[in-house]
Amino acid sequence: MPDALQLAITVLAAVLLFLHGLEAFSDELTRLGGDSLRGWLARLTRSDGRAAFTGAFSTALLQSSSAVSSMSVTLADRRVIGARATLGVMVGANVGTTLTAWLVALKIAGLGPLFVCIGGLWSMLAPQRWRAQGKVLFYFGLIFLALDWIAAALAPLAQHPEVASLRLYLDHPLLALGFGVLLTALVQSSSVVSGLAVLSVAQGVIAPGVAVWMVAGANVGTTSTALLASAQLGALARKLAVCNTAFNVLGVLLFATLLQPVIAAVLALELAAGQRVALVHTLFNTGAAVVSLLLLPWIWSRLQPWLEAPTPPN
């Protein structure tokens, strides 16, 4: 097998392992504490700030803003939580998802194999009622094991001649932004794209200035999950998913304009390249969330009639 093809298959296999590990971890944790998580969302979303905190915490726990956003629009459709609370949860979810980039950037060595071993043995040997917790630990470790394999597979690419041409294609901010949007919509996970961006920067495959635009694009691409989930639900869920997309597009506009001096200053810091990208990701998402929460009371009087308007019959 040619070296290039073998490398491509190795990288793809590691990415798919990461993606499926992340999905399985989210599913197992949701299954383990699904009722409790839904209860938290219902009780802890009585103000915009508390709703955003709940969204951030839930996303950091589940490692998936897509899962939290989809769950939120579903619960709103079922009238478990209100429309305004749902918007707050989805705004906060963008902050919680930045934890993935930090976990990758800080290179927590040995975490993946350790949790795979502990979780795998736990899920096989523990009493039946405790085995679900072992599966959660197993898939948590699998996420980081996959990241280690991605990093190892990407390392040779930094010196590969074809990568130099790829850098030229992605060097323009709009191209990097569009690539982040499309890749996230394809894999249905901003965590995958932000993690790949940080790893690619750490291995010298792409520049930090390119990676931050990819991460910004991931914020827009991740809204596709809520849009898809809401397509099978009622009008309220579909409108909330559209609002979520609008808030994330607003965040990218802030990123491209007012936040550029701050981002340039962060990228100039004497930190590891991956940590600079993770810090930009956190500041960008936190800043966009703060602006969205400040705007929400002002625009709610205009949004509420549209969200609650009955859908005309076909």
Side-chain angles (χ1 to χ4, degrees):
M1 183 183 294
D3 291 342
L5 179 59
Q6 185 174 1
L7 180 62
I9 291 175
T10 302
V11 172
L12 179 60
V15 170
L16 290 173
L17 188 64
F18 176 49
L19 182 59
H20 285 287
L22 194 65
E23 182 181 8
F25 171 73
S26 178
D27 288 344
E28 289 295 334
L29 193 58
T30 303
R31 189 178 299 115
L32 181 64
D35 292 337
S36 299
L37 187 60
R38 289 175 177 84
W40 290 346
L41 289 173
R43 290 193 301 271
L44 300 178
T45 55
R46 295 172 185 169
S47 69
D48 295 340
R50 290 172 67 179
F53 176 80
T54 301
F57 179 79
S58 301
T59 303
L61 187 66
L62 291 175
Q63 285 293 285
S64 175
S65 60
S66 299
V68 172
S69 297
S70 300
M71 186 186 299
S72 297
V73 296
T74 301
L75 292 176
D77 184 66
R78 296 173 183 173
R79 302 302 191 270
V80 175
I81 59 175
R84 181 163 174 172
T86 302
L87 292 175
V89 169
M90 291 192 289
V91 165
N94 290 332
V95 178
T97 197
T98 63
L99 178 63
T100 303
W102 278 110
L103 291 174
V104 176
L106 293 175
K107 301 177 183 177
I108 305 175
L111 188 65
L114 175 64
F115 277 96
V116 165
C117 291
I118 294 174
L121 291 172
W122 188 340
S123 64
M124 290 190 299
L125 303 177
Q128 189 67 40
R129 67 180 184 276
W130 298 109
R131 291 187 180 183
Q133 289 86 342
K135 288 183 179 180
V136 171
L137 291 176
F138 175 82
Y139 287 119
F140 182 72
L142 190 62
I143 292 169
F144 292 97
L145 193 60
L147 287 172
D148 289 340
W149 289 345
I150 293 170
L154 287 176
L157 287 179
Q159 309 303 323
H160 208 278
E162 277 77 9
V163 173
S165 60
L166 177 64
R167 287 195 190 103
L168 292 177
Y169 283 117
L170 291 179
D171 194 46
H172 194 282
L174 289 180
L175 291 176
L177 179 73
F179 181 71
V181 173
L182 292 175
L183 185 58
T184 307
L186 179 66
V187 302
Q188 290 291 292
S189 175
S190 61
S191 296
V192 171
V193 176
S194 61
L196 279 174
V198 172
L199 283 172
S200 298
V201 167
Q203 299 299 333
V205 177
I206 60 175
V210 172
V212 294
W213 282 96
M214 283 178 57
V215 169
N219 267 35
V220 177
T222 195
T223 64
S224 64
T225 307
L227 289 169
L228 288 172
S230 68
Q232 306 301 318
L233 301 174
L236 175 61
R238 294 194 296 272
K239 291 174 181 178
L240 286 170
V242 170
C243 289
N244 183 41
T245 302
F247 278 126
N248 284 29
V249 170
L250 172 64
V252 171
L253 292 176
L254 288 172
F255 176 89
T257 54
L258 298 179
L259 291 177
Q260 279 300 301
V262 177
I263 291 164
V266 172
L267 291 177
L269 294 175
E270 294 184 2
L271 294 172
Q275 293 179 20
R276 278 180 275 155
V277 174
L279 183 55
V280 168
H281 189 204
T282 301
L283 291 175
F284 157 50
N285 282 25
T286 303
V290 169
V291 171
S292 296
L293 289 175
L294 290 175
L295 287 175
L296 188 54
W298 180 69
I299 65 174
W300 180 245
S301 60
R302 297 165 178 81
L303 272 179
Q304 188 176 18
W306 175 66
L307 288 171
E308 297 178 355
T311 304
N314 293 328

